[in-house]
Structure formats: C-alpha cells, structure tokens
Amino acid sequence: MASYADFHRRSIDAPEAFWAEQADLIDWHKPPEQILDACQPPFARWFVGGQTNLCHNAVDRHLAARADQAALIAVSTETGSERVWSFAQLHAQVQAAAASLMALGVGRGDRVLIYMPMIGEAIIAMLACARIGAIHCVVFGGFASGALASRIEDAQPKVVVSADAGSRGGKVIAYQPLLDEAIRLSAHKPSAVLWVERGLAPLVCQARRDHRWAELMVRHADARVPCVWLEATDTSYIIYTSGTTGRPKGVQRDVGGYAVALAASMKHIFDGRAGETYFSTSDIGWVVGHSYIVYGPLIAGMATIAYEGLPTQGMDGQPDGAIWWQLVHKYRVTVMFSAPTAVRVLKKQDAALLRKHDLSSLRALFLAGEPLDEPTARWIGEGLGVPVIDNYWQTESGWPILTLARGVDAAQAPRLGSPGVPMYGYQVKIVHESTGEELAAPNEKGVVVIEGPTPPGFMQTVWGDDERFVNTYWKSIPGKLVYSTFDWGIRDADGYYYILGRTDDVINVAGHRLGTREIEECVAGHANVAEVAVVGVADALKGQVAVAFVVPRSGLAASDEQAARLLEGEIMAAVAGQLGALARPARVHVVTALPKTRSGKLLRRAIQAVCEQRDPGDLSTLDDPASLQQIRARVGR
Ligand code: AMP
C-alpha cells in the first residue's frame, strides 16, 4: 500500500493526473476535455468539457447491479415510521418528482428551494432537481421566517418544496405559517409551492400557488424522465452559510467536480463500499447532509439512512438511548457519521447502551462539525470499540479538508485533539494573520489557509457574487491570494493539524454555524433595544451558545430585574421566531453600555473572554472600562 504522504504529494505535484484517475470513479456521458482550468485564479474549473449528472451517478448507474438493494432508508422516531426504497423504487420516485417539478415549470438552471424535515421526500426532491439540472437550495427546517426569507430573496426559486410540519422531541413545528410569512417578507415570490402532507399539521392550500406532492406524484407515477446531461462546471446546488455580515452567503457547487470529489472521498476517506449501509445522523439542511446523507453514499452504491428525531428516542416515542445502535445492527451499517455534540448528548446515558446491540458490522465512526474534545472521543471510541475519526471541513469545501485517509493507509493512527492531516488535493498552510507569512515551524499558531487551485468539490463561488467570493475568502490575508478558512490552527512536528477556533464572528452551536451578526440584527429589531452584542460562549453540551448583551433604548433601569427578564424573554422569542430556535441566545443580559474601542468598534472578543473566565487581553483601546466591569458583574465572573 502506498504511504499516504506519497498519495498526497502526487495530488499536489500532478493534480491533473491525480484527478483524471479519480474521475474514473464516476460515469460520464462525455469525458472531460481538460481536467483543470485554473487560468483565472482563484477560480478553479474542474473536468471542463465533461458531461455528467449527479442523479445518474447516485441512482441510475446502480440499477444494473443492485436495482433491488435498499438505497434510501428513512427512519423517523418522531412519527414511528420506517420506509425503505430500493434503487429501482428510488429511480421511479425521483422520475415522478422530476416530472412534477417540470409540470410546475421547473427546468435546467431554475432554482428550487427545499424547506423540509428529514423525510424521504426531501431527498427524492433533491435528486429530482439534480436529474433535470435544476439547482436545489435546501434550507434547514429549523430556520424560521426571517432566515428563510433572506434565502428566498437571494436564490429566487421558481418553486419551493415543503411539508406540513417537522417534529423534534415530539414537538410539531408547522411549516406553512413560517413559509407563508417568509414569502410575504421576500421581494421575490416563487410561482408554486409543493407540499408534502404528513398529517402532522393543517395545510391550507392557496389556489394556483399551492400543490400537493401526493397528487402530482400519482399523476406522474409512470413518468420517464431521462437525466439531463450537464456540463461538469454547471451549478448543482446552492447552500447558505453564515459569515461575518448579517447576509448569508450562497455557497455554489458544481456538478462534475462534486461527483468526483464525493466518489473519491467514499473510497479513500470513508472506506464505504457498494452494497453496504451508511448512516449519517446529520440533516439535509447542512452540507454534511448533502455530501454524506444524499450524494456520497448513493454515488458509492451504498444504502443511506436518513434519520428524523432525537438520538435518545425510540420508535415508540419513548426514551431509548440505544436507538442509533439498534439501526446500526438492523441495517448492518458499516460507516457512521455524526457530530461531537450528539455524542455528548449520548454520553449522559449509561455507556452499557453502546453495547446493547450487535455492532460487528461497524468499521468506523466519523465525527465533524466542531472541535472533538478528548473525553468525548475516548468515551465513544472505547464504548463502541471502533476507530473514531475526527474530520475538519466547512460548508465551502463540501468534503473533508483535514482527516485521515483510511482507504489509502489504514495504519494512519488518529491523534486525540487533532482532526488529522491535509487531504489529497488540499495544500493547507498556517500563516500569520497580519503579515501573511507562512508559519512553517511546528506548533506556531496562525490562520489555516488553503492555497489554490482548490480541489474538485470545493465551492465554485458565492451565488451571484464572484466579487464577494474573492474579497471574502481570498483577500483576507495580506499580500497573498489564499483561501482563508477563518479558523486558527497549529501543525505539530508530524504534520497533524489542530483547530483552535474561529478568527471571525462565526459561532458554532451544536455543530451548526451561525453568524453573530445575523443574530444581532434580529435582536436590534426589538423596539426597546438601542445596542446589542452577541458572542459565542463555551458550553459543555453544545460546544458554544449565543449570549446577548443589550443596551435598552429607554425606561429600563439596570437594577429592574423584572423588566430585564421580560425583555430577555421577548428577545429570545423574537430570535427564535425570525431565525429559528438554534439561534436563540441562551441568555440576554441588560447593560447600560457595551465595551468599545475609542473609535467605536465593539470588543466582542473581550466580552467573550470575560464570559468564559479568560483574560480579555489588551484593553488599552477600551473607551469605558466600566462597561466591561458591568459585563463581568452580569455574568457573575
Ligand atoms: P460548517 O460550514 O457549518 O460546516 O462549519 C465549519 C466550521 O466548523 C469550521 O470552519 C470550523 O470552525 C468548525 N469545524 C468543523 N469541523 C471541525 C472539526 N473537526 N474540528 C474543529 N472545528 C471544526
């Protein structure tokens, strides 16, 4: 077996030869004429001239060998339902869905926004879009009207696919009021909404705009809709992510590069094989869901499990801390993917639950989305008796940047606290944040950057805004055109990287990325808020939670605890109502002033440090020291 270092070196020294080989892992209608076009940096165009289709690679191409094998397994402990589609059944359903979308006027290049819970229909809708060359834009079902409206406005979808409701921990969240309000708020109005009825919440259909999924699917049940052959460089989807401004960024991904990147990662990183079952506990609203619930496993010919519900609830709705392991046993799962936060939830339960079911099929557990702390890694690794592989990546990258390539060299040992080494195709460097100088010596802290050309699967650009793509990601390090991850990191003497947190105002709540600016804008919308600062504060379970500090507009004495509580409640409800429960601050503290520099810049890092009992660092620029004292008093530190 080749050493991983050689494998990686070849991908950097001879990227075209390396990726031409990987391109053989997928089906092409027309092979690429040029492997890489990097003549307009930082834009990298992969597999130019090639024609392919994600849905063909995920579904159709498996029909010959595995038509009757399970492809999609949708399990909901919220509704107690378990449904399995074979590749042949998925093929038929996706064609019916594609015909339904076409009947609503959707064609190649049109956007379809998918605002759905984790149900099979959501994945069928995504594959249907891919089939006809429509660009899907999946918005996490936990987001509320405000967040949804800004995404509708930016993506300008022709059609929205949704459901009557989602459910979490038995609490039903009706989607129709949220979506109707979002459409009302948005300047762009989709011409049609397609509703999946689960019978969880009432649905009132507007004449002309609203359509029922079940009716259209029956009407088009026998439709034959061939895959549209797309250019490798066409756009497959947009997924929104948070950044330093209140405006979410639409991460735009291609077709061919993404298909190849996922196929290669299934082989080299996840070591998942055709005919086996993959179980990712994520949600299609996140990039992990796109890459490793939907496309990755299916492209590899694996069955994929889509799971709706808490990690601690059984099919009968009763508590069951072993439900995931029951599914691993039942479906002979070989590769599992989750997030540290979910493991920390399980960790509150009896470790014996990890051994309640037969886990002999499982080869490894991959965890991503946030730093993996050592106690959590140890607990789950020892409990399951399989390797736990941390992997570091971003919505922007689409697949792991740092991890271990177990399919290339199974002997590479995980190192606690480190997600691993740069994956093939990635030239990762640590640079000084203000000089841009490379920090080549081990254990020096700097910004983690990626040198272009970025590998296949990496974001093409920001949807509709090339300039924002270049300025945001590629121009933040002085004097160098390099991609900034906006994460701090170090590399040890053996080349293993360690991620030390964000350099910007992005926070990570239960593995989900949120922009504090977005939350601040929402809080500032409250009539009695004059100023606000939102920071991420370390939390034992969720990694981080949002904490807000507000200066009220009028009439609220800092000592009036009752009024402060009332305002806190109103602000929490407003954020949950506009952005979603995930973004709701864990606490809202009322203060009379916020710490700022003399030039008026908010010192969020100092606030965060105080909240986390850390040294706030250099305070020489602080205008009003009493403001920080007040925060200290508020948080009881
Ligand atoms: P997202 O785009 O939502 O996937 O968030 C990406 C961010 O999550 C990264 O920039 C990191 O800050 C953080 N992150 C993701 N995976 C890891 C990991 N394995 N270790 C540490 N941080 C991570």
Side-chain angles (χ1 to χ4, degrees):
M1 190 184 279
S3 83
Y4 177 70
D6 290 343
F7 191 77
H8 181 261
R9 192 168 314 114
R10 203 164 72 80
S11 75
I12 301 301
D13 293 347
E16 302 210 33
F18 180 91
W19 287 106
E21 249 170 58
Q22 307 305 320
D24 287 342
L25 294 169
I26 69 157
D27 274 8
W28 294 92
H29 175 66
K30 183 169 162 274
E33 286 158 14
Q34 187 186 358
I35 299 300
L36 169 63
D37 167 12
C39 66
Q40 269 188 301
F43 298 92
R45 299 169 74 237
W46 287 95
F47 308 116
V48 182
Q51 290 183 347
T52 186
N53 182 289
L54 278 167
C55 183
H56 168 85
N57 278 286
V59 182
D60 299 44
R61 75 159 170 163
H62 302 302
L63 293 175
R66 51 191 84 255
D68 298 327
Q69 177 200 304
L72 173 60
I73 301 162
V75 178
S76 171
T77 51
E78 296 291 334
T79 58
S81 77
E82 207 164 335
R83 291 184 297 169
V84 181
W85 290 263
S86 65
F87 276 99
Q89 288 163 336
L90 187 59
H91 184 235
Q93 288 282 295
V94 168
Q95 291 185 87
S100 304
L101 289 173
M102 287 160 72
L104 298 177
V106 176
R108 182 173 177 168
D110 289 334
R111 272 80 60 212
V112 173
L113 189 135
I114 298 175
Y115 178 61
M116 292 178 91
M118 276 296 293
I119 55 177
E121 287 84 352
I123 293 172
I124 290 168
M126 289 169 76
L127 291 165
C129 289
R131 191 169 192 88
I132 58 176
I135 297 169
H136 60 64
C137 168
V138 182
V139 177
F140 176 54
F143 281 143
S145 308
L148 189 51
S150 59
R151 286 153 176 82
I152 292 175
E153 204 152 271
D154 193 73
Q156 308 213 333
K158 192 170 236 179
V159 169
V160 176
V161 187
S162 191
D164 55 0
S167 176
R168 188 148 177 87
K171 189 167 168 259
V172 170
I173 300 124
Y175 282 8
Q176 192 170 38
L178 296 171
L179 180 57
D180 280 349
E181 173 65 4
I183 293 175
R184 193 187 66 75
L185 291 172
S186 162
H188 171 83
K189 312 287 179 197
S191 60
V193 181
L194 189 52
W195 295 99
V196 174
E197 275 180 294
R198 311 176 71 193
L200 292 181
L203 202 60
V204 184
C205 283
Q206 288 180 22
R208 285 194 295 279
R209 192 198 71 176
D210 290 341
H211 303 265
R212 290 176 200 272
W213 170 276
E215 280 173 18
L216 286 183
M217 289 294 278
V218 167
R219 198 174 307 152
H220 299 285
D222 299 321
R224 289 286 161 267
V225 181
C227 288
V228 172
W229 297 115
L230 301 170
E231 295 300 320
T233 50
D234 279 348
T235 300
S236 60
Y237 70 74
I238 311 166
I239 180 169
Y240 285 90
T241 191
S242 304
T244 43
T245 68
R247 202 158 55 97
K249 289 188 292 265
V251 167
Q252 177 184 321
R253 192 109 45 224
D254 69 359
V255 174
Y258 189 52
V260 172
L262 292 183
S265 71
M266 292 304 296
K267 181 176 173 193
H268 305 309
I269 300 174
F270 296 100
D271 189 20
R273 304 163 201 167
E276 299 178 345
T277 306
Y278 195 102
F279 179 17
S280 163
T281 66
S282 184
D283 187 289
I284 47 150
W286 310 115
V287 69
V288 175
H290 285 62
S291 294
Y292 298 113
I293 293 175
V294 184
Y295 294 112
L298 292 176
I299 286 175
M302 298 178 81
T304 184
I305 299 182
Y307 182 83
E308 180 189 44
L310 303 175
T312 51
Q313 176 182 299
M315 292 303 286
D316 54 2
Q318 296 301 310
D320 180 0
I323 180 68
W324 285 357
W325 318 117
Q326 186 190 326
L327 294 174
V328 169
H329 172 206
K330 180 169 181 186
Y331 293 106
R332 307 295 300 152
V333 170
T334 55
V335 185
M336 190 159 166
F337 194 127
S338 193
T341 217
V343 177
R344 288 195 292 264
V345 169
L346 295 174
K347 210 166 132 201
K348 291 185 163 174
Q349 324 239 333
D350 185 354
L353 289 171
L354 300 177
R355 299 283 182 162
K356 189 173 166 197
H357 299 280
D358 172 16
L359 304 183
S360 57
S361 58
L362 194 63
R363 284 198 294 272
L365 170 67
F366 292 84
L367 296 175
E370 58 181 314
L372 173 60
D373 54 288
E374 293 193 21
T376 301
R378 269 214 186 87
W379 182 82
I380 193 73
E382 284 165 13
L384 295 178
V386 299
V388 172
I389 314 291
D390 188 1
N391 54 119
Y392 161 86
W393 46 299
Q394 307 182 307
T395 308
E396 289 83 350
S397 70
W399 60 284
I401 299 169
L402 300 170
T403 183
L404 299 177
R406 293 169 48 76
V408 179
D409 181 359
Q412 260 196 321
R415 200 165 278 195
L416 282 178
S418 163
V421 300
M423 283 300 94
Y424 48 91
Y426 286 105
Q427 285 199 74
V428 183
K429 300 263 159 75
I430 305 272
V431 300
H432 190 279
E433 77 272 25
S434 46
T435 65
E437 177 201 348
E438 186 183 349
L439 303 175
N443 303 323
E444 274 193 83
K445 180 178 167 182
V447 183
V448 180
V449 302
I450 300 168
E451 280 187 359
T454 47
F458 206 87
M459 74 186 291
Q460 290 177 294
T461 184
V462 170
W463 171 252
D465 202 343
D466 285 350
E467 219 174 275
R468 193 173 176 204
F469 171 64
V470 177
N471 290 338
T472 307
Y473 293 107
W474 294 85
K475 294 223 168 135
S476 76
I477 304 294
K480 275 200 174 134
L481 191 69
V482 287
Y483 171 88
S484 176
T485 62
F486 297 103
D487 279 305
W488 297 110
I490 56 171
R491 182 184 51 240
D492 70 14
D494 299 321
Y496 281 73
Y497 283 70
Y498 297 77
I499 300 295
L500 307 172
R502 297 281 302 191
T503 65
D504 59 8
D505 296 323
V506 163
I507 64 172
N508 196 315
V509 179
H512 305 313
R513 176 163 151 190
L514 294 169
T516 50
R517 299 295 169 96
E518 230 174 315
I519 305 175
E520 283 175 1
E521 279 181 19
C522 187
V523 175
H526 187 285
N528 197 18
V529 170
E531 278 187 282
V532 53
V534 171
V535 297
V537 176
D539 178 84
L541 193 64
K542 295 181 175 172
Q544 277 185 310
V545 290
V547 173
F549 293 87
V550 299
V551 178
R553 217 172 259 290
S554 63
L556 182 61
S559 56
D560 189 344
E561 279 303 322
Q562 207 183 348
R565 284 278 166 204
L566 201 66
L567 183 61
E568 175 172 31
E570 285 173 11
I571 289 174
M572 284 179 165
V575 176
Q578 285 175 43
L579 297 179
L582 195 63
R584 177 175 42 215
R587 280 304 314 265
V588 180
H589 296 287
V590 174
V591 290
T592 54
L594 293 171
K596 289 185 193 153
T597 61
R598 268 166 229 130
S599 57
K601 199 167 166 287
L602 202 53
L603 286 167
R604 288 189 186 77
R605 293 223 182 109
I607 302 177
Q608 186 191 37
V610 166
C611 293
E612 293 181 346
Q613 284 180 292
R614 286 186 287 109
D615 175 8
D618 178 13
L619 294 177
S620 56
T621 57
L622 183 62
D623 190 32
D624 169 19
S627 57
L628 208 58
Q629 285 305 339
Q630 210 184 128
I631 287 182
R632 209 167 259 134
R634 281 276 159 221
V635 299
R637 301 278 150 79

